[in-house]
Protein backbone atom coordinates (compact mmCIF):
# COMPACT_ATOMS: atom_id res chain seq x y z
CA UNK A 1 0.00 0.00 0.00
CA UNK A 2 2.89 2.37 0.69
CA UNK A 3 3.85 2.18 -3.00
CA UNK A 4 0.68 3.98 -4.15
CA UNK A 5 1.30 6.45 -6.95
CA UNK A 6 -0.52 9.23 -8.77
CA UNK A 7 -0.01 10.38 -12.35
CA UNK A 8 2.03 13.54 -12.72
CA UNK A 9 -0.94 15.05 -14.55
CA UNK A 10 -2.32 15.77 -11.07
CA UNK A 11 0.22 18.60 -10.83
CA UNK A 12 -1.13 20.42 -13.88
CA UNK A 13 -2.63 23.80 -13.10
CA UNK A 14 -1.03 24.27 -9.68
CA UNK A 15 1.90 26.36 -10.93
CA UNK A 16 -0.35 29.14 -12.22
CA UNK A 17 -2.10 29.46 -8.86
CA UNK A 18 1.24 29.63 -7.08
CA UNK A 19 2.83 32.10 -9.49
CA UNK A 20 1.62 35.17 -7.62
CA UNK A 21 2.76 33.77 -4.26
CA UNK A 22 6.14 35.40 -4.75
CA UNK A 23 7.04 35.27 -1.08
CA UNK A 24 6.95 31.48 -1.04
CA UNK A 25 9.04 28.84 -2.72
CA UNK A 26 7.04 25.65 -3.03
CA UNK A 27 8.77 23.12 -5.26
CA UNK A 28 6.71 20.65 -7.22
CA UNK A 29 7.59 17.09 -6.19
CA UNK A 30 10.04 15.34 -8.51
CA UNK A 31 8.59 12.97 -11.11
CA UNK A 32 9.56 9.32 -11.37
CA UNK A 33 8.75 6.42 -13.64
CA UNK A 34 5.84 4.16 -12.83
CA UNK A 35 5.95 0.50 -13.72
CA UNK A 36 4.03 0.39 -17.00
CA UNK A 37 0.97 -1.82 -16.61
CA UNK A 38 -0.73 -0.50 -19.73
CA UNK A 39 -0.96 -2.92 -22.70
CA UNK A 40 1.35 -2.01 -25.60
CA UNK A 41 -0.22 0.57 -27.87
CA UNK A 42 -2.57 1.91 -25.19
CA UNK A 43 -1.28 5.14 -23.73
CA UNK A 44 -2.79 6.82 -20.72
CA UNK A 45 -1.92 10.40 -19.75
CA UNK A 46 1.48 10.19 -18.08
CA UNK A 47 1.08 6.40 -17.98
CA UNK A 48 4.81 5.95 -17.45
CA UNK A 49 5.26 9.09 -15.36
CA UNK A 50 4.07 9.26 -11.80
CA UNK A 51 5.05 10.33 -8.33
CA UNK A 52 4.41 8.63 -5.01
CA UNK A 53 0.93 9.50 -3.81
CA UNK A 54 2.34 10.41 -0.41
CA UNK A 55 4.53 13.07 -2.10
CA UNK A 56 1.60 14.64 -3.92
CA UNK A 57 -0.48 14.70 -0.74
CA UNK A 58 2.40 16.26 1.19
CA UNK A 59 2.79 18.83 -1.58
CA UNK A 60 -0.86 19.87 -1.33
CA UNK A 61 -0.53 20.19 2.45
CA UNK A 62 2.64 22.27 2.07
CA UNK A 63 0.94 24.60 -0.41
CA UNK A 64 -1.70 25.59 2.14
CA UNK A 65 0.74 25.68 5.04
CA UNK A 66 3.23 27.94 3.26
CA UNK A 67 0.79 30.24 1.43
CA UNK A 68 -1.83 30.24 4.19
CA UNK A 69 -4.35 30.16 1.38
CA UNK A 70 -6.80 27.32 1.92
CA UNK A 71 -8.54 28.03 -1.38
CA UNK A 72 -5.66 26.99 -3.67
CA UNK A 73 -6.31 23.19 -3.76
CA UNK A 74 -10.01 23.77 -4.39
CA UNK A 75 -9.33 26.26 -7.17
CA UNK A 76 -6.75 23.89 -8.68
CA UNK A 77 -9.51 21.27 -8.96
CA UNK A 78 -12.31 23.60 -10.11
CA UNK A 79 -10.14 25.01 -12.91
CA UNK A 80 -8.31 21.78 -13.74
CA UNK A 81 -8.08 21.11 -17.48
CA UNK A 82 -9.57 17.64 -17.86
CA UNK A 83 -7.84 17.32 -21.22
CA UNK A 84 -4.67 16.73 -19.16
CA UNK A 85 -6.11 13.30 -18.35
CA UNK A 86 -5.87 12.19 -21.97
CA UNK A 87 -8.37 9.44 -22.90
CA UNK A 88 -9.98 9.63 -19.47
CA UNK A 89 -10.47 13.37 -19.84
CA UNK A 90 -11.93 12.75 -23.29
CA UNK A 91 -14.37 10.25 -21.78
CA UNK A 92 -15.48 12.78 -19.16
CA UNK A 93 -15.65 15.75 -21.52
CA UNK A 94 -17.67 13.85 -24.13
CA UNK A 95 -20.30 12.69 -21.66
CA UNK A 96 -23.70 14.17 -22.39
CA UNK A 97 -24.90 14.42 -18.81
CA UNK A 98 -23.48 15.21 -15.38
CA UNK A 99 -24.20 11.70 -14.12
CA UNK A 100 -22.44 10.06 -17.06
CA UNK A 101 -19.38 12.27 -16.63
CA UNK A 102 -19.17 11.51 -12.91
CA UNK A 103 -19.63 7.79 -13.54
CA UNK A 104 -16.73 7.79 -16.01
CA UNK A 105 -14.55 9.72 -13.57
CA UNK A 106 -15.24 7.13 -10.88
CA UNK A 107 -14.97 4.07 -13.13
CA UNK A 108 -11.57 4.99 -14.55
CA UNK A 109 -10.04 6.79 -11.57
CA UNK A 110 -7.84 3.80 -10.74
CA UNK A 111 -5.89 4.52 -13.92
CA UNK A 112 -4.98 7.92 -12.50
CA UNK A 113 -4.36 7.21 -8.83
CA UNK A 114 -3.71 4.07 -6.81
CA UNK A 115 -5.09 3.00 -3.47
CA UNK A 116 -8.18 5.21 -3.47
CA UNK A 117 -11.86 4.57 -2.82
CA UNK A 118 -14.00 6.83 -4.99
CA UNK A 119 -17.66 6.11 -5.58
CA UNK A 120 -20.83 7.64 -6.98
CA UNK A 121 -23.98 6.79 -5.04
CA UNK A 122 -27.63 7.75 -5.05
CA UNK A 123 -29.96 7.60 -2.07
CA UNK A 124 -33.52 8.82 -2.40
CA UNK A 125 -33.41 12.38 -3.73
CA UNK A 126 -29.69 12.96 -3.06
CA UNK A 127 -26.57 11.81 -4.90
CA UNK A 128 -22.98 11.88 -3.70
CA UNK A 129 -19.40 11.35 -4.78
CA UNK A 130 -17.08 10.24 -1.99
CA UNK A 131 -13.29 10.17 -2.10
CA UNK A 132 -10.85 8.61 0.35
CA UNK A 133 -7.23 7.52 0.14
CA UNK A 134 -7.10 4.01 1.57
CA UNK A 135 -3.48 3.94 2.74
CA UNK A 136 -3.69 4.74 6.49
CA UNK A 137 -0.04 5.79 6.53
CA UNK A 138 -0.86 8.87 4.43
CA UNK A 139 -1.99 11.57 6.87
CA UNK A 140 -2.65 14.45 6.95
CA UNK A 141 -4.42 14.40 3.60
CA UNK A 142 -6.86 17.26 3.92
CA UNK A 143 -6.11 19.39 0.89
CA UNK A 144 -5.63 16.58 -1.58
CA UNK A 145 -9.32 15.95 -0.83
CA UNK A 146 -10.12 19.59 -1.58
CA UNK A 147 -8.37 19.27 -4.96
CA UNK A 148 -10.15 16.02 -5.88
CA UNK A 149 -13.58 17.28 -4.84
CA UNK A 150 -12.83 20.45 -6.79
CA UNK A 151 -12.63 18.40 -9.99
CA UNK A 152 -15.94 16.73 -9.11
CA UNK A 153 -17.43 20.13 -8.34
CA UNK A 154 -16.25 21.42 -11.72
CA UNK A 155 -18.20 18.67 -13.49
CA UNK A 156 -21.35 19.37 -11.48
CA UNK A 157 -21.08 23.12 -12.07
CA UNK A 158 -20.92 22.59 -15.83
CA UNK A 159 -24.43 21.21 -15.80
CA UNK A 160 -26.10 23.51 -13.33
CA UNK A 161 -26.54 27.19 -12.71
CA UNK A 162 -27.90 28.79 -9.59
CA UNK A 163 -28.32 25.54 -7.62
CA UNK A 164 -25.00 25.44 -5.78
CA UNK A 165 -26.75 26.38 -2.54
CA UNK A 166 -28.13 22.82 -2.42
CA UNK A 167 -24.64 21.24 -2.45
CA UNK A 168 -23.11 19.94 0.80
CA UNK A 169 -19.62 18.76 1.75
CA UNK A 170 -18.12 16.42 4.33
CA UNK A 171 -14.43 16.01 5.17
CA UNK A 172 -12.34 13.47 7.04
CA UNK A 173 -10.40 16.25 8.72
CA UNK A 174 -11.65 18.31 11.62
CA UNK A 175 -12.42 21.95 10.80
CA UNK A 176 -9.39 23.31 12.70
CA UNK A 177 -7.08 21.05 10.68
CA UNK A 178 -8.10 22.64 7.39
CA UNK A 179 -6.29 25.92 8.21
CA UNK A 180 -9.08 28.18 7.04
CA UNK A 181 -12.79 28.79 6.58
CA UNK A 182 -13.64 26.00 4.15
CA UNK A 183 -17.34 26.84 4.11
CA UNK A 184 -16.56 30.34 2.90
CA UNK A 185 -14.28 29.00 0.15
CA UNK A 186 -16.82 26.43 -1.05
CA UNK A 187 -19.87 28.61 -0.46
CA UNK A 188 -21.58 25.51 0.86
CA UNK A 189 -22.48 23.74 4.08
CA UNK A 190 -19.63 21.61 5.48
CA UNK A 191 -19.32 18.92 8.12
CA UNK A 192 -16.07 17.54 9.51
CA UNK A 193 -14.67 14.39 11.11
CA UNK A 194 -16.45 12.16 8.59
CA UNK A 195 -15.32 8.71 7.48
CA UNK A 196 -14.83 9.94 3.93
CA UNK A 197 -14.61 13.17 1.94
CA UNK A 198 -17.85 13.73 0.11
CA UNK A 199 -19.83 16.13 -2.04
CA UNK A 200 -23.62 15.68 -1.88
CA UNK A 201 -26.12 17.25 -4.23
CA UNK A 202 -29.72 16.79 -5.43
CA UNK A 203 -29.94 13.60 -7.49
CA UNK A 204 -31.82 15.43 -10.24
CA UNK A 205 -28.54 17.15 -11.11
CA UNK A 206 -27.28 13.83 -12.48
CA UNK A 207 -29.64 14.23 -15.43
CA UNK A 208 -28.55 17.75 -16.31
CA UNK A 209 -27.07 18.15 -19.79
CA UNK A 210 -23.44 19.12 -20.22
CA UNK A 211 -22.28 21.56 -22.90
CA UNK A 212 -21.42 19.83 -26.16
CA UNK A 213 -17.69 19.53 -26.82
CA UNK A 214 -15.75 19.30 -30.05
CA UNK A 215 -13.14 16.61 -30.50
CA UNK A 216 -12.67 12.84 -30.52
CA UNK A 217 -15.09 10.47 -28.89
CA UNK A 218 -13.99 8.34 -25.97
CA UNK A 219 -12.85 4.75 -26.48
CA UNK A 220 -14.51 3.30 -23.39
CA UNK A 221 -13.69 -0.27 -24.37
CA UNK A 222 -9.98 0.55 -24.39
CA UNK A 223 -10.19 2.21 -20.98
CA UNK A 224 -12.07 -0.78 -19.54
CA UNK A 225 -9.39 -3.06 -20.93
CA UNK A 226 -6.72 -1.00 -19.22
CA UNK A 227 -8.57 -1.29 -15.91
CA UNK A 228 -8.63 -5.09 -16.30
CA UNK A 229 -4.94 -5.18 -17.22
CA UNK A 230 -3.99 -3.03 -14.24
CA UNK A 231 -5.84 -5.30 -11.84
CA UNK A 232 -4.24 -8.36 -13.40
CA UNK A 233 -0.79 -6.86 -12.85
CA UNK A 234 -1.40 -5.87 -9.23
CA UNK A 235 -0.28 -8.33 -6.56
CA UNK A 236 -3.19 -10.13 -4.92
CA UNK A 237 -2.01 -9.13 -1.45
CA UNK A 238 -2.23 -5.47 -2.48
CA UNK A 239 -5.66 -5.85 -4.07
CA UNK A 240 -6.96 -7.67 -1.02
CA UNK A 241 -5.54 -5.06 1.36
CA UNK A 242 -7.29 -2.28 -0.53
CA UNK A 243 -10.66 -4.03 -0.20
CA UNK A 244 -10.08 -4.64 3.52
CA UNK A 245 -9.13 -1.01 4.16
CA UNK A 246 -12.17 0.10 2.17
CA UNK A 247 -14.59 -2.08 4.13
CA UNK A 248 -13.28 -1.80 7.69
CA UNK A 249 -15.94 -0.04 9.77
CA UNK A 250 -18.52 -0.23 6.97
CA UNK A 251 -19.28 -3.94 6.59
CA UNK A 252 -18.11 -7.35 7.75
CA UNK A 253 -14.84 -8.63 6.29
CA UNK A 254 -16.03 -11.90 4.75
CA UNK A 255 -13.55 -14.03 2.83
CA UNK A 256 -16.13 -15.49 0.44
CA UNK A 257 -17.58 -12.10 -0.49
CA UNK A 258 -14.20 -10.49 -1.02
CA UNK A 259 -12.97 -13.40 -3.15
CA UNK A 260 -16.03 -13.03 -5.40
CA UNK A 261 -15.41 -9.30 -5.72
CA UNK A 262 -11.79 -9.91 -6.69
CA UNK A 263 -13.01 -12.44 -9.25
CA UNK A 264 -12.07 -15.85 -7.91
CA UNK A 265 -13.21 -18.54 -5.51
CA UNK A 266 -12.06 -18.36 -1.90
CA UNK A 267 -10.07 -21.55 -2.47
CA UNK A 268 -8.23 -20.03 -5.43
CA UNK A 269 -7.64 -16.83 -3.46
CA UNK A 270 -6.11 -18.79 -0.58
CA UNK A 271 -3.84 -20.68 -2.99
CA UNK A 272 -2.67 -17.54 -4.77
CA UNK A 273 -2.05 -15.75 -1.47
CA UNK A 274 0.05 -18.70 -0.34
CA UNK A 275 2.05 -18.40 -3.54
CA UNK A 276 2.76 -14.78 -2.57
CA UNK A 277 3.82 -15.92 0.91
CA UNK A 278 0.75 -14.67 2.69
CA UNK A 279 -2.76 -15.61 3.83
CA UNK A 280 -6.14 -13.95 4.19
CA UNK A 281 -5.74 -13.72 7.97
CA UNK A 282 -2.26 -12.21 7.70
CA UNK A 283 -3.50 -9.50 5.34
CA UNK A 284 -6.52 -8.80 7.55
CA UNK A 285 -4.42 -8.61 10.72
CA UNK A 286 -1.87 -6.27 9.13
CA UNK A 287 -4.62 -3.98 7.78
CA UNK A 288 -6.36 -3.88 11.15
CA UNK A 289 -3.18 -2.90 12.97
CA UNK A 290 -2.22 -0.18 10.50
CA UNK A 291 -5.79 1.14 10.55
CA UNK A 292 -5.67 1.12 14.36
CA UNK A 293 -2.69 3.48 14.27
CA UNK A 294 -4.64 5.71 11.88
CA UNK A 295 -7.62 5.71 14.27
CA UNK A 296 -5.38 6.61 17.21
CA UNK A 297 -3.95 9.49 15.20
CA UNK A 298 -7.21 10.88 13.86
CA UNK A 299 -9.85 9.98 16.46
CA UNK A 300 -8.42 10.76 19.91
CA UNK A 301 -11.95 11.06 21.29
CA UNK A 302 -12.74 7.37 20.75
CA UNK A 303 -12.06 4.75 23.42
CA UNK A 304 -9.97 1.65 22.74
CA UNK A 305 -13.18 -0.41 22.85
CA UNK A 306 -14.83 1.83 20.24
CA UNK A 307 -11.81 1.59 17.94
CA UNK A 308 -11.76 -2.19 18.36
CA UNK A 309 -15.39 -2.28 17.27
CA UNK A 310 -14.62 -0.12 14.22
CA UNK A 311 -11.93 -2.62 13.25
CA UNK A 312 -14.32 -5.56 13.45
CA UNK A 313 -13.40 -7.01 16.84
CA UNK A 314 -16.34 -8.25 18.90
CA UNK A 315 -14.22 -8.03 22.09
CA UNK A 316 -11.72 -5.24 22.65
CA UNK A 317 -9.54 -7.66 24.64
CA UNK A 318 -8.90 -9.57 21.40
CA UNK A 319 -7.83 -6.34 19.75
CA UNK A 320 -5.54 -5.49 22.67
CA UNK A 321 -3.77 -8.85 22.43
CA UNK A 322 -3.45 -8.64 18.64
CA UNK A 323 -2.07 -5.10 18.80
CA UNK A 324 0.47 -6.07 21.46
CA UNK A 325 1.69 -8.97 19.30
CA UNK A 326 2.03 -6.61 16.33
CA UNK A 327 3.65 -3.61 18.02
CA UNK A 328 5.14 -4.94 21.25
CA UNK A 329 3.11 -2.52 23.36
CA UNK A 330 -0.51 -2.12 24.38
CA UNK A 331 -2.90 0.10 22.37
CA UNK A 332 -3.08 2.48 25.33
CA UNK A 333 0.70 2.83 25.50
CA UNK A 334 1.00 3.30 21.73
CA UNK A 335 -1.70 5.97 21.70
CA UNK A 336 -0.01 7.79 24.60
CA UNK A 337 3.32 7.80 22.75
CA UNK A 338 1.62 9.29 19.68
CA UNK A 339 0.07 12.03 21.81
CA UNK A 340 3.43 12.88 23.36
CA UNK A 341 5.06 13.04 19.92
CA UNK A 342 2.30 15.32 18.61
CA UNK A 343 2.94 17.81 21.41
Amino acid sequence: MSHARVRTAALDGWAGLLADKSSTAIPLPPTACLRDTVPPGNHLPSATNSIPLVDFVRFSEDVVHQTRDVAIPWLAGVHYDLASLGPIGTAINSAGKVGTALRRMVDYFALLQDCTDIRLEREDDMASVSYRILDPDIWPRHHDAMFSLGIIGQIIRRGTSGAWDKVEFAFEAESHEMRGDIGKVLRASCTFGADSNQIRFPAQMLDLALPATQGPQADLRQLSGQIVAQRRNTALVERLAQVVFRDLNTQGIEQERIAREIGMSSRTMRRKLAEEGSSFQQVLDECRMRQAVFEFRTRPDLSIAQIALRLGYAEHSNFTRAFHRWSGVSPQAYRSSLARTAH
Side-chain angles (χ1 to χ4, degrees), residues 41-296:
N42 294 340
H43 300 287
L44 284 172
S46 303
T48 58
N49 292 290
S50 70
I51 56 174
L53 180 57
V54 65
D55 285 354
F56 177 70
V57 172
R58 187 180 299 118
F59 161 73
S60 65
E61 296 296 315
D62 287 347
V63 164
V64 174
H65 177 69
Q66 295 185 38
T67 64
R68 299 182 180 181
D69 188 346
V70 74
I72 288 178
W74 170 254
L75 294 174
V78 168
H79 299 295
Y80 187 81
D81 184 359
L82 295 176
S84 296
L85 303 181
I88 298 173
T90 299
I92 296 170
N93 283 329
S94 62
K97 294 183 178 181
V98 168
T100 304
L102 293 177
R103 171 52 59 195
R104 291 178 179 179
M105 179 76 174
V106 168
D107 286 349
Y108 304 122
F109 194 82
L111 296 173
L112 304 171
Q113 180 170 307
D114 300 328
C115 196
T116 304
D117 180 29
I118 181 168
R119 59 183 74 185
L120 170 63
E121 297 176 307
R122 180 170 183 165
E123 183 177 354
D124 299 327
D125 61 345
M126 295 295 287
S128 65
V129 178
S130 57
Y131 167 91
R132 176 170 62 104
I133 292 174
L134 294 173
D135 189 339
D137 297 335
I138 300 178
W139 188 269
R141 55 196 192 198
H142 316 325
H143 302 293
D144 161 75
M146 287 282 285
F147 169 65
S148 301
L149 292 184
I151 295 176
I152 300 300
Q154 173 192 159
I155 295 171
I156 295 172
R157 280 177 160 179
R158 287 184 184 182
T160 183
S161 60
W164 192 252
D165 60 325
K166 297 181 175 63
V167 175
E168 306 168 356
F169 289 82
F171 293 97
E172 286 182 286
E174 298 295 343
S175 59
H176 68 273
E177 296 176 307
M178 300 293 278
R179 301 179 185 270
D181 189 340
I182 299 301
K184 184 177 180 180
V185 170
L186 303 178
R187 299 180 182 178
S189 172
C190 299
T191 57
F192 301 91
D195 284 326
S196 185
N197 307 289
Q198 187 179 81
I199 180 169
R200 298 181 72 245
F201 51 94
Q204 62 189 18
M205 290 184 180
L206 294 171
D207 296 322
L208 293 173
L210 290 173
T213 58
Q214 300 294 323
Q217 291 299 303
D219 189 341
L220 301 184
R221 181 177 297 182
Q222 183 186 70
L223 290 173
S224 296
Q226 290 170 354
I227 287 284
V228 172
Q230 179 168 289
R231 289 173 180 165
R232 188 184 301 122
N233 284 279
T234 302
L236 179 57
V237 167
E238 185 175 339
R239 291 168 62 194
L240 175 58
Q242 291 193 33
V243 175
V244 171
F245 280 128
R246 184 197 69 192
D247 290 350
L248 280 175
N249 190 42
T250 60
Q251 57 183 309
I253 306 298
E254 300 170 352
Q255 189 172 158
E256 294 282 349
R257 174 185 63 79
I258 292 176
R260 286 196 303 271
E261 179 175 340
I262 291 177
M264 59 187 70
S265 68
S266 58
R267 180 178 180 180
T268 299
M269 184 173 73
R270 287 193 296 270
R271 176 175 58 80
K272 289 184 175 293
L273 285 171
E275 292 172 356
E276 294 184 11
S278 188
S279 69
F280 183 85
Q281 193 61 48
Q282 284 177 310
V283 174
L284 176 57
D285 290 345
E286 176 70 13
C287 289
R288 279 173 160 172
M289 295 305 100
R290 289 176 59 197
Q291 186 67 24
V293 174
F294 178 82
E295 298 283 339
F296 294 157

